[in-house]
Amino acid sequence: YQRRVHGILSSGMLAAASAFVARQAARRSFHTSFANNAKIVVALYPDPVDGYPPKYARDSIPKIEKYPDGQTTPTPSGLDFKPGELLGCVSGALGLRKFLERGGHKLVVTSDKDGAGCQMEKELHDADVVISQPFFPFYLTAERIAMAPKLKMAITAGIGSDHVDLTAAMARKIDVAEVTFCNSISVSEHVVMMILGLVRNYIPSYMQVINGGWNIADCVSRSYDLEGMSVGTVASGRIGLAVLRRLKPFDCKLHYCDRHRLPEAVERELNLVYHKSPQDMVPHCDIVTINCPLHPETEHLFNEKLLKTMKRGSYIVNTARGKICDRNAIADALKTGQLAGYAGDVWFPQPPPKDHPWRSMPHHGMTPHTSGTSLSAQTRYCAGVREILECFFAGKPIRNEYTIVRDGQLAGTGAHSYSKGNSTGGSEEAAKFKSR
C-alpha cells in the first residue's frame, strides 16, 4: 500500500515538475525571442499647442523614494529623461524611446486612438505590447484584442486599467499591468483642491477678475466654509485614505465606505465613521469624493436613485472614473439644485464629445483628466512602465502591486481591486471628439 501511494505521488510530482519545466522553457523561449524585436505600440495625448518641449516653470522636482505604505517608487535599471520633463505626450514618448531602440525594439507612438481605422488599430496586427494612459486611454475592447493576435501585455501608464476589456484579456491570457501608487498622492491633492474650489465658489470668483468685475456679493452667494462639513469617500484605498488624511486638519467629519475595512487604529486616528456601502453613507454627507475603481459593480453607481438620497445642496468630486456616475443624472441634479456642485477630471469616454452634458451643466468644476499626470507623477509612472518592460523582456516576475491580470486571472492588485467583467462599452463615442 505504501509503495502504491509513493508511486502515485511520485508520478504526480513528476508530471507537475515536467509541466513546470515546460512552462519555464516556453517563457524563456518567448522572452528570448523578444531579445531585440518586440513591437511596442503607445497611445499618448498630443503635444502642447505651442510645441515641444515646453518652457518649464521649475528646474527640478523633489525626489520621492517611498510611498506612505512603505512601497518603493519604481526601480528601473536607469532613466533616459530628466525628472520633471513632459513625458506623457507624443514627443515625450514616456521617456522610452532610447531604452527601447537600444534594445532593438520597435516603438510606435501616436495620439490617433479613436474610431475605426485609427492609427492604433492599424498597428495592432503585430503588436506585442500596448501602452496607454488613463488620461487619454486607448480602449482595448474585445474587438481590438481580436485584431492583435500577437499581443502579450497591456500596460497602463498610471493607475486604472478599466479601459481594457479584462474579461477578453483573461480569455486570451494577455497580462495587464499598471504602475500602482505612482500618482495616488497627486490625485488626492487634486481632490482636496476641487473640494475647496466648489465649496468656496472659487472658479466664479476668479472669473469675476478675468471679466473685469468686482461683485463680491455674486462671489460669496454660493461660498461656504469646509470646516464642520461631513465628507465621505467611496473607497479608502491609496487615494481615498490619502484624501481623508489631508482633510483631517480642516476639522471635517470624515466618513468612508469600502469592501475592505481600514484597521481600527486608522479609524481612531482619523476619527472615521465606517459605512458598509455608498447607499448607507451618502445621506450623511455634505461632500462625497469618489475614489473607487471602475468595474461592472461600480458602473453608474451614482444614478438618479442614489443622488436623490443625498442632502440637498451636496457636492460630488469624482477623480476616479467618469462612468461611475450617470452623466445625465448628474447634470439634472445640478440643474434642480439637488447637487450644489460637481467637480472632477474624469469623463466617459475620453476625450468627451463636444456635446457632452458635463461641458455645459451649471455649477461644475470639470477639467480634462489631469489629476494624475502632473510632471511629478509622470516621472514616477514612466519609470514604472520601464521597470515593467524590463521585467517583461527578461522573463522576470512583475511586482505583485503592478499586476492586474496574470495567466488568465485577476491577480495582485487586480484581484484586490477589480471584479471580472468589461467596462469599455460605449467607448466608441470618443471618436465623436475627433470628428467635430
Side-chain angles (χ1 to χ4, degrees), residues 13-36:
M13 292 172 65
L14 181 61
S18 299
F20 174 78
V21 170
R23 286 196 301 271
Q24 292 299 102
R27 177 176 284 270
R28 284 194 299 271
S29 174
F30 169 73
H31 288 284
T32 299
S33 70
F34 277 169
N36 60 3

Side-chain angles (χ1 to χ4, degrees), residues 76-218:
S77 62
L79 295 176
D80 293 312
F81 58 84
K82 179 182 176 181
E85 291 181 338
L86 176 60
L87 306 169
C89 62
V90 171
S91 292
L94 301 180
L96 294 174
R97 188 170 297 282
K98 291 180 181 178
F99 160 65
L100 290 173
E101 291 179 352
R102 276 198 306 270
H105 306 296
K106 181 179 181 181
L107 174 65
V108 177
V109 184
T110 180
S111 62
D112 184 15
K113 69 177 186 70
D114 295 311
C118 65
Q119 190 61 39
M120 282 294 291
E121 282 195 356
K122 292 176 182 177
E123 301 291 346
L124 287 177
H125 67 282
D126 59 348
D128 298 301
V129 179
V130 168
I131 305 173
S132 75
Q133 301 169 107
F135 329 106
F136 196 73
F138 175 60
Y139 293 100
L140 195 55
T141 61
E143 293 77 15
R144 285 173 165 172
I145 286 175
M147 298 177 188
K150 294 181 61 180
L151 188 62
K152 295 296 186 294
M153 175 171 283
I155 301 175
T156 299
I159 299 172
S161 298
D162 47 274
H163 58 280
V164 179
D165 185 331
L166 296 180
T167 296
M170 288 187 281
R172 270 276 306 277
K173 294 194 174 181
I174 296 168
D175 288 352
V176 180
E178 60 186 54
V179 192
T180 302
F181 223 148
C182 65
N183 55 11
S184 299
I185 302 304
S186 315
V187 175
S188 70
E189 292 179 0
H190 203 90
V191 170
V192 175
M193 175 188 74
M194 285 190 153
I195 288 174
L196 288 168
L198 286 180
V199 173
R200 298 308 301 257
N201 204 38
Y202 174 76
I203 295 175
S205 302
Y206 169 78
M207 293 307 299
Q208 279 278 342
V209 174
I210 295 299
N211 295 329
W214 192 259
N215 193 308
I216 294 174
D218 282 341

Side-chain angles (χ1 to χ4, degrees), residues 220-275:
V220 302
S221 62
R222 296 181 66 88
S223 178
Y224 300 90
D225 291 349
L226 180 57
E227 181 184 17
M229 285 192 173
S230 293
V231 185
T233 174
V234 178
S236 57
R238 296 171 181 86
I239 297 173
L241 180 57
V243 170
L244 292 171
R245 289 193 182 282
R246 282 154 180 74
L247 287 175
K248 188 176 187 296
F250 287 92
D251 293 327
C252 300
K253 300 169 185 175
L254 300 177
H255 301 249
Y256 82 101
C257 61
D258 198 303
R259 60 186 181 183
H260 306 288
R261 188 163 181 173
L262 291 170
E264 186 177 344
V266 175
E267 290 187 349
R268 286 198 307 269
E269 174 196 352
L270 300 177
N271 196 24
L272 302 178
V273 178
Y274 172 71
H275 303 267

